Amino acid sequence: SFVDAYLDKFSEDTLKNAKYYSHQVYQSAYPTEGQMLEYGRNLLKDYAKAKLVVTSRIHCALPCLGLETPVIFVTSDLMNTVGLRSHGRFEGIKELFNVMNYDNGHLSVVTEVLNDSLNNGVIDIDSDVKNSGAYLQYSTILDRTVTEFLAHA
């Protein structure tokens, strides 16, 4: 089960006190563009305040990098199933994150630097997870590109 797999790498207190979000949002819940934007702003505020975000959603993990919120991206054996999700869609991007893999009911550390964040073998409230910094080169290029574009607009 989810709990059993995650208890192997996260303390029970961490899992109990975590905030859980679903990224399956129905447009009918936010019928106006303003309501959708407000939902998105609030979600980004929550990401920015978080001590750590653990997600299998790339559209959650990427903003966390930009907000400098520590993030662990969880891959899964299902992500490599052709037809279920685009095969290989995470290649070249996983390197930007701390990564764990969920496979056959077990969670394992993929990014070795995460092992430095474990306290007694698990991530707990005192763990100091840090993003790798591999994304910074792209962040710098994007910032420069947008700044130059706006200067000429």
Side-chain angles (χ1 to χ4, degrees):
S1 76
F2 165 85
V3 173
D4 292 334
Y6 277 71
L7 275 173
D8 190 42
K9 297 296 177 200
F10 294 88
S11 72
E12 187 174 345
D13 282 347
T14 299
L15 293 177
K16 281 182 180 177
N17 294 311
K19 288 185 180 180
Y20 294 88
Y21 293 86
S22 170
H23 283 258
Q24 187 170 9
V25 179
Y26 296 98
Q27 189 172 354
S28 61
Y30 305 95
T32 69
E33 187 174 299
Q35 289 172 319
M36 285 188 278
L37 289 170
E38 185 64 21
Y39 173 79
R41 273 193 286 279
N42 289 333
L43 198 55
L44 290 172
K45 286 178 187 177
D46 286 349
Y47 295 163
K49 292 186 291 186
K51 183 172 185 208
L52 173 66
V53 172
V54 180
T55 184
S56 63
R57 303 296 187 181
I58 202 75
H59 58 268
C60 173
L62 285 169
C64 288
L65 290 179
L67 295 165
E68 298 183 2
T69 299
V71 61
I72 297 173
F73 185 62
V74 180
T75 59
S76 149
D77 52 340
L78 296 176
M79 288 179 177
N80 294 322
T81 304
V82 177
L84 187 61
R85 291 194 179 172
S86 301
H87 185 67
R89 75 182 239 203
F90 297 112
E91 296 309 314
I93 203 166
K94 287 189 301 191
E95 291 75 15
L96 302 178
F97 305 109
N98 295 305
V99 179
M100 288 186 169
N101 188 59
Y102 179 84
D103 189 13
N104 201 22
H106 298 284
L107 192 64
S108 60
V109 172
V110 174
T111 310
E112 285 302 317
V113 72
L114 271 178
N115 286 321
D116 298 337
S117 302
L118 302 178
N119 291 323
N120 297 318
V122 297
I123 292 174
D124 62 20
I125 196 67
D126 296 320
S127 294
D128 188 25
V129 176
K130 297 200 181 314
N131 292 329
S132 74
Y135 70 96
L136 291 172
Q137 63 180 329
Y138 302 105
S139 176
T140 302
I141 292 167
L142 182 60
D143 184 48
R144 186 178 332 118
T145 302
V146 169
T147 301
E148 289 173 5
F149 174 80
L150 292 175
H152 294 88

